[in-house]
Amino acid sequence: MTQAGAEDRSLDDWRAELRAWLGEHVPRALPPLDGHAAAADYRAWEGTLADAGYAAVHWPVEHGGRGAGERERLVFQEEYERARGPVRINIQGLMLAGPTLMAFGTERQRKRWLPAMLRADEVWCQGFSEPDAGSDLASLRTRAVRDGDELVVNGQKIWTTGAHYADWIFALVRTGSEGPKHRGITWVMIDLRTPGVTVRPIVQLNGRPEFAEVFFEDVRVPLDNVVGGIGNGWRVAMTALGFERGVGRRSYVQYLHRLEALRRAVASAGVRLDPAVELEFGDVLAQVLMYRDYTNRVAAEATSDPPTPTAAYNKLIWSELQVRLFQLGESVLRATGDLRDGAPTERAEEWMAEYWYARAARIFAGTNQIQKNIIAERVLGMPR
């Protein structure tokens, strides 16, 4: 058997293992993830995943993972979505904070935070964006001043996903003001139960409080919680954002599920779609399959030398696909009668909640406009 054939056989075995285990263990009908009370069920599920070795398959074995490569990681995500697994409550920790600690943290920091992160005993959120520092992250104003062996933090973060049920936040704070703006930034881990921290959920257009504001008023944080050293936060953050924009967070399967739900809605309603909507349905399906092939290519090229720039386009592709998919859904549900006269059915209410949220996909993980600039300048070599 050739090496490629052996790898394919190994992936097939991995897929079969996952499909069998997830088919037996995935919980059904968890409550909406809207606060600490509901979060308990999701934490318990993460513990079940950790016990089986599936909580973070891409983490090294010594930290509780399986040392999986990008292709194995992508297969896990596909099977997880195929089994309709619950929302991953600690995705910010598992995808961002954890790998960042492995790259920049001390041994003490890794021992302190990684085990609890893996099991969701401590849930994490990301404190980067501020009211005046979203796309221009180097303009952040949350300030930390050293006082002995502590930092005293004052400022505000916004659009912080999951802060209303998280335990910890990894945040960027300004610790210096001399030189270029990005050189005075520090990455620090902050316990959200520390006196002086206030979390205020933000109810969005879809009626859900998925984001929050986080305020810091004279919050005292041990210097031991700084990751990567004072003033080195920009480098740490850019590494973390590279983890966020990879292929391990979503796969094409979730989009196929959505298209199948629309197909069933049309069939049950017994309606004929407008030809333009039918054409859009086919175009979106083609884009979903293109995304499948693209993510497989990214995973296959992950270890190439020199590295290819293919992954740089990932965030643009899935975010635009997500918006287009839910726009299609809105058109289809109008045709089936689920959105007539301002009284959506239960099926349409769920879909429209995602329809409104999909617009955020063009903003979080780096706005699409900024991503295009980065690709133009750093991948294609175009002038600023």
Side-chain angles (χ1 to χ4, degrees):
M1 182 181 293
T2 66
Q3 181 177 355
E7 289 177 354
D8 290 342
R9 178 67 258 172
S10 178
L11 287 176
D12 288 343
D13 292 344
W14 174 232
R15 190 182 295 278
E17 172 191 329
L18 290 168
R19 191 169 295 187
W21 189 89
L22 290 167
E24 182 179 349
H25 291 88
V26 164
R28 303 299 176 189
L30 294 187
L33 185 53
D34 56 6
H36 280 281
D41 292 324
Y42 293 83
R43 290 175 189 260
W45 167 238
E46 292 296 327
T48 301
L49 285 170
D51 289 340
Y54 298 133
V57 297
H58 60 295
W59 281 22
V61 174
E62 61 267 29
H63 295 306
R66 299 178 71 112
E70 287 298 291
R71 297 183 74 184
E72 292 86 357
R73 185 181 178 190
L74 185 58
V75 167
F76 173 85
Q77 189 62 29
E78 289 173 355
E79 292 305 317
Y80 191 85
E81 292 172 8
R82 185 170 282 110
R84 302 182 187 275
V87 171
R88 302 297 303 278
I89 189 175
N90 212 15
I91 197 70
Q92 304 289 352
L94 299 177
M95 287 196 66
L96 297 180
T100 301
L101 280 172
M102 295 173 205
F104 294 96
T106 65
E107 185 62 23
R108 185 201 67 80
Q109 289 173 331
R110 289 191 286 267
K111 287 181 178 178
R112 163 61 186 87
W113 283 307
L114 291 180
M117 193 179 292
L118 192 68
R119 300 186 58 82
D121 293 332
E122 293 174 341
V123 173
W124 289 78
C125 59
Q126 176 185 4
F128 284 14
S129 296
E130 299 182 7
D132 296 313
S135 298
D136 184 14
L137 187 57
S139 295
L140 66 88
R141 297 181 182 178
T142 296
R143 181 165 294 276
V145 177
R146 183 168 181 171
D147 182 14
D149 59 356
E150 295 179 316
L151 291 176
V152 181
V153 181
N154 284 278
Q156 176 189 359
K157 299 295 179 179
I158 198 168
W159 314 127
T160 307
T161 303
H164 53 301
Y165 54 74
D167 306 299
W168 285 79
I169 185 171
F170 53 94
L172 294 180
V173 298
R174 183 162 298 286
T175 50
S177 57
E178 297 182 0
K181 292 185 295 184
H182 66 277
R183 290 188 179 173
I185 293 174
T186 296
W187 174 299
V188 64
M189 316 289 246
I190 304 174
D191 188 337
L192 289 173
R193 295 156 293 193
T194 307
V197 177
T198 301
V199 177
R200 296 178 185 168
I202 301 172
V203 177
Q204 300 147 223
L205 282 174
N206 63 9
R208 298 173 177 173
E210 292 164 348
F211 299 143
E213 298 174 284
V214 183
F215 298 88
F216 305 96
E217 185 176 355
D218 293 332
V219 176
R220 306 189 76 88
V221 183
L223 278 175
D224 285 346
N225 289 17
V226 170
V227 177
I230 297 289
N232 196 37
W234 186 260
R235 179 184 173 210
V236 179
M238 293 305 101
T239 301
L241 290 175
F243 300 138
E244 184 176 33
R245 295 164 188 158
V247 298
R249 188 167 184 170
R250 56 184 51 77
S251 85
Y252 77 99
V253 174
Q254 63 175 284
Y255 302 123
L256 279 186
H257 282 327
R258 295 288 187 178
L259 287 174
E260 174 60 20
L262 290 179
R263 187 197 65 78
R264 290 197 303 268
V266 172
S268 64
V271 298
R272 177 66 183 263
L273 294 177
D274 182 277
V277 178
E278 286 187 334
L279 180 61
E280 178 68 4
F281 203 112
D283 285 346
V284 171
L285 175 59
Q287 191 172 353
V288 170
L289 297 179
M290 181 276 292
Y291 184 61
R292 176 197 62 189
D293 294 343
Y294 164 80
T295 52
N296 281 320
R297 177 184 170 191
V298 171
E301 295 178 355
T303 58
S304 63
D305 187 21
T308 68
T310 314
Y313 304 94
N314 185 50
K315 197 270 173 170
L316 281 177
I317 294 173
W318 66 253
S319 60
E320 295 295 341
L321 170 59
Q322 196 151 309
V323 172
R324 191 174 178 189
L325 171 65
F326 284 102
Q327 287 175 335
L328 168 66
E330 193 259 358
S331 298
V332 170
L333 293 176
R334 286 193 184 281
T336 61
D338 287 286
L339 283 175
R340 288 180 181 170
D341 302 323
T345 64
E346 182 177 350
R347 175 170 58 196
E349 283 182 352
E350 173 63 24
W351 190 276
M352 291 307 293
E354 296 294 337
Y355 169 87
W356 290 115
Y357 184 77
R359 278 134 179 82
R362 289 173 168 164
I363 300 171
F364 60 67
T367 66
N368 285 10
Q369 294 91 335
I370 296 298
Q371 290 303 303
K372 290 176 181 178
N373 286 345
I374 291 172
I375 291 169
E377 295 169 15
R378 302 180 188 177
V379 177
L380 302 178
M382 299 175 68
R384 292 178 63 87

